[in-house]
Short mmCIF file of all heavy atoms in Angstrom, two decimals:
data_model
loop_
_atom_site.label_atom_id
_atom_site.label_comp_id
_atom_site.label_asym_id
_atom_site.label_seq_id
_atom_site.Cartn_x
_atom_site.Cartn_y
_atom_site.Cartn_z
N GLN A 11 14.46 7.84 -10.97
CA GLN A 11 14.03 6.44 -10.97
C GLN A 11 13.57 5.99 -9.59
O GLN A 11 12.63 5.20 -9.47
CB GLN A 11 15.17 5.56 -11.49
CG GLN A 11 15.46 5.78 -12.97
CD GLN A 11 16.55 4.88 -13.49
OE1 GLN A 11 16.29 3.74 -13.88
NE2 GLN A 11 17.77 5.37 -13.48
N LYS A 12 14.21 6.49 -8.54
CA LYS A 12 13.77 6.15 -7.19
C LYS A 12 12.35 6.65 -6.93
O LYS A 12 11.53 5.96 -6.32
CB LYS A 12 14.73 6.73 -6.15
CG LYS A 12 16.03 5.97 -6.00
CD LYS A 12 16.89 6.59 -4.91
CE LYS A 12 18.17 5.79 -4.70
NZ LYS A 12 19.02 6.40 -3.65
N ALA A 13 12.06 7.87 -7.40
CA ALA A 13 10.71 8.43 -7.21
C ALA A 13 9.68 7.58 -7.94
O ALA A 13 8.60 7.28 -7.40
CB ALA A 13 10.68 9.88 -7.69
N LEU A 14 10.00 7.19 -9.16
CA LEU A 14 9.07 6.36 -9.94
C LEU A 14 8.92 4.98 -9.32
O LEU A 14 7.81 4.43 -9.24
CB LEU A 14 9.57 6.25 -11.39
CG LEU A 14 9.54 7.54 -12.20
CD1 LEU A 14 10.35 7.39 -13.49
CD2 LEU A 14 8.11 7.97 -12.52
N TYR A 15 10.03 4.40 -8.88
CA TYR A 15 9.97 3.08 -8.24
C TYR A 15 9.12 3.13 -6.97
O TYR A 15 8.34 2.20 -6.71
CB TYR A 15 11.38 2.60 -7.91
CG TYR A 15 11.41 1.25 -7.22
CD1 TYR A 15 11.37 0.08 -7.96
CD2 TYR A 15 11.45 1.16 -5.83
CE1 TYR A 15 11.38 -1.16 -7.33
CE2 TYR A 15 11.45 -0.07 -5.19
CZ TYR A 15 11.42 -1.23 -5.95
OH TYR A 15 11.41 -2.44 -5.33
N THR A 16 9.26 4.19 -6.20
CA THR A 16 8.48 4.32 -4.97
C THR A 16 6.98 4.34 -5.27
O THR A 16 6.18 3.72 -4.58
CB THR A 16 8.88 5.60 -4.21
OG1 THR A 16 10.27 5.50 -3.84
CG2 THR A 16 8.05 5.79 -2.95
N ILE A 17 6.61 5.05 -6.33
CA ILE A 17 5.20 5.08 -6.74
C ILE A 17 4.72 3.68 -7.10
O ILE A 17 3.67 3.21 -6.64
CB ILE A 17 5.00 6.05 -7.92
CG1 ILE A 17 5.25 7.49 -7.48
CG2 ILE A 17 3.59 5.91 -8.51
CD1 ILE A 17 5.32 8.47 -8.64
N CYS A 18 5.51 2.99 -7.93
CA CYS A 18 5.11 1.66 -8.39
C CYS A 18 5.07 0.66 -7.23
O CYS A 18 4.13 -0.14 -7.12
CB CYS A 18 6.10 1.16 -9.45
SG CYS A 18 6.11 2.13 -10.97
N ASN A 19 6.07 0.72 -6.38
CA ASN A 19 6.16 -0.23 -5.28
C ASN A 19 5.04 -0.06 -4.27
O ASN A 19 4.64 -1.01 -3.60
CB ASN A 19 7.52 -0.09 -4.59
CG ASN A 19 7.86 -1.25 -3.70
OD1 ASN A 19 7.66 -2.40 -4.07
ND2 ASN A 19 8.38 -0.96 -2.51
N GLY A 20 4.53 1.17 -4.17
CA GLY A 20 3.45 1.43 -3.22
C GLY A 20 2.06 1.27 -3.79
O GLY A 20 1.07 1.43 -3.07
N ALA A 21 1.97 0.96 -5.09
CA ALA A 21 0.65 0.86 -5.75
C ALA A 21 0.07 -0.53 -5.58
O ALA A 21 0.76 -1.54 -5.81
CB ALA A 21 0.78 1.22 -7.23
N LYS A 22 -1.19 -0.61 -5.23
CA LYS A 22 -1.84 -1.91 -5.02
C LYS A 22 -2.04 -2.68 -6.32
O LYS A 22 -2.13 -3.90 -6.32
CB LYS A 22 -3.19 -1.71 -4.34
CG LYS A 22 -3.08 -1.18 -2.90
CD LYS A 22 -4.44 -1.03 -2.26
CE LYS A 22 -4.32 -0.53 -0.83
NZ LYS A 22 -5.66 -0.36 -0.20
N ASN A 23 -2.10 -1.95 -7.44
CA ASN A 23 -2.38 -2.63 -8.71
C ASN A 23 -1.13 -2.90 -9.54
O ASN A 23 -1.23 -3.33 -10.69
CB ASN A 23 -3.36 -1.80 -9.55
CG ASN A 23 -2.77 -0.47 -9.99
OD1 ASN A 23 -2.11 0.20 -9.20
ND2 ASN A 23 -3.01 -0.08 -11.22
N VAL A 24 0.06 -2.62 -8.98
CA VAL A 24 1.31 -2.82 -9.73
C VAL A 24 2.17 -3.84 -9.01
O VAL A 24 2.45 -3.72 -7.81
CB VAL A 24 2.09 -1.49 -9.88
CG1 VAL A 24 3.42 -1.74 -10.59
CG2 VAL A 24 1.27 -0.46 -10.65
N ASP A 25 2.59 -4.88 -9.74
CA ASP A 25 3.55 -5.85 -9.24
C ASP A 25 4.88 -5.64 -9.95
O ASP A 25 4.91 -5.36 -11.16
CB ASP A 25 3.07 -7.28 -9.49
CG ASP A 25 1.93 -7.68 -8.57
OD1 ASP A 25 1.71 -6.99 -7.55
OD2 ASP A 25 1.24 -8.68 -8.89
N LEU A 26 5.96 -5.77 -9.20
CA LEU A 26 7.30 -5.57 -9.73
C LEU A 26 8.07 -6.88 -9.66
O LEU A 26 8.10 -7.54 -8.62
CB LEU A 26 8.05 -4.50 -8.93
CG LEU A 26 7.39 -3.13 -8.84
CD1 LEU A 26 8.16 -2.23 -7.88
CD2 LEU A 26 7.29 -2.48 -10.21
N LYS A 27 8.68 -7.27 -10.77
CA LYS A 27 9.52 -8.47 -10.80
C LYS A 27 10.91 -8.08 -11.29
O LYS A 27 11.10 -7.74 -12.45
CB LYS A 27 8.92 -9.54 -11.73
CG LYS A 27 7.73 -10.29 -11.13
CD LYS A 27 7.30 -11.43 -12.05
CE LYS A 27 6.15 -12.24 -11.46
NZ LYS A 27 6.58 -13.03 -10.28
N ALA A 28 11.89 -8.11 -10.37
CA ALA A 28 13.29 -7.84 -10.72
C ALA A 28 14.00 -9.16 -10.98
O ALA A 28 13.52 -10.25 -10.62
CB ALA A 28 13.97 -7.09 -9.59
N ASN A 29 15.17 -9.05 -11.64
CA ASN A 29 15.99 -10.23 -11.93
C ASN A 29 15.17 -11.34 -12.59
O ASN A 29 15.29 -12.52 -12.25
CB ASN A 29 16.65 -10.73 -10.65
CG ASN A 29 17.55 -9.68 -10.02
OD1 ASN A 29 18.47 -9.19 -10.66
ND2 ASN A 29 17.26 -9.30 -8.79
N THR A 30 14.34 -10.91 -13.54
CA THR A 30 13.41 -11.83 -14.20
C THR A 30 13.52 -11.68 -15.72
O THR A 30 12.78 -10.91 -16.33
CB THR A 30 11.96 -11.55 -13.74
OG1 THR A 30 11.90 -11.58 -12.32
CG2 THR A 30 11.00 -12.57 -14.31
N PRO A 31 14.47 -12.38 -16.34
CA PRO A 31 14.58 -12.29 -17.80
C PRO A 31 13.35 -12.89 -18.49
O PRO A 31 12.81 -13.91 -18.05
CB PRO A 31 15.83 -13.12 -18.11
CG PRO A 31 16.55 -13.24 -16.81
CD PRO A 31 15.49 -13.22 -15.74
N VAL A 32 12.92 -12.24 -19.55
CA VAL A 32 11.83 -12.77 -20.38
C VAL A 32 12.44 -13.75 -21.38
O VAL A 32 13.38 -13.42 -22.11
CB VAL A 32 11.09 -11.63 -21.10
CG1 VAL A 32 10.12 -12.18 -22.14
CG2 VAL A 32 10.36 -10.76 -20.09
N THR A 33 11.91 -14.95 -21.42
CA THR A 33 12.47 -15.99 -22.29
C THR A 33 11.58 -16.31 -23.49
O THR A 33 12.02 -17.02 -24.40
CB THR A 33 12.71 -17.28 -21.49
OG1 THR A 33 11.49 -17.67 -20.84
CG2 THR A 33 13.80 -17.06 -20.45
N ASN A 34 10.35 -15.78 -23.49
CA ASN A 34 9.50 -15.99 -24.67
C ASN A 34 8.29 -15.05 -24.59
O ASN A 34 7.85 -14.69 -23.49
CB ASN A 34 9.01 -17.42 -24.77
CG ASN A 34 8.45 -17.75 -26.15
OD1 ASN A 34 8.84 -17.13 -27.15
ND2 ASN A 34 7.54 -18.71 -26.22
N ILE A 35 7.79 -14.65 -25.75
CA ILE A 35 6.53 -13.93 -25.85
C ILE A 35 5.75 -14.53 -27.01
O ILE A 35 6.28 -14.68 -28.11
CB ILE A 35 6.74 -12.42 -26.10
CG1 ILE A 35 7.62 -11.80 -25.02
CG2 ILE A 35 5.39 -11.69 -26.16
CD1 ILE A 35 7.99 -10.35 -25.30
#
């Protein structure tokens, strides 16, 4: 998971939102 997170965190086209519950779709 650290390896995958590092890829995502370093990508210009990927935004990461932690501690963010989804309340509606």
Side-chain angles (χ1 to χ4, degrees):
Q11 292 182 86
K12 283 183 177 179
L14 293 167
Y15 179 85
T16 298
I17 293 170
C18 295
N19 195 44
K22 293 181 179 179
N23 65 318
V24 177
D25 287 344
L26 303 174
K27 283 187 178 290
N29 300 303
T30 306
V32 171
T33 54
N34 195 26
I35 304 173

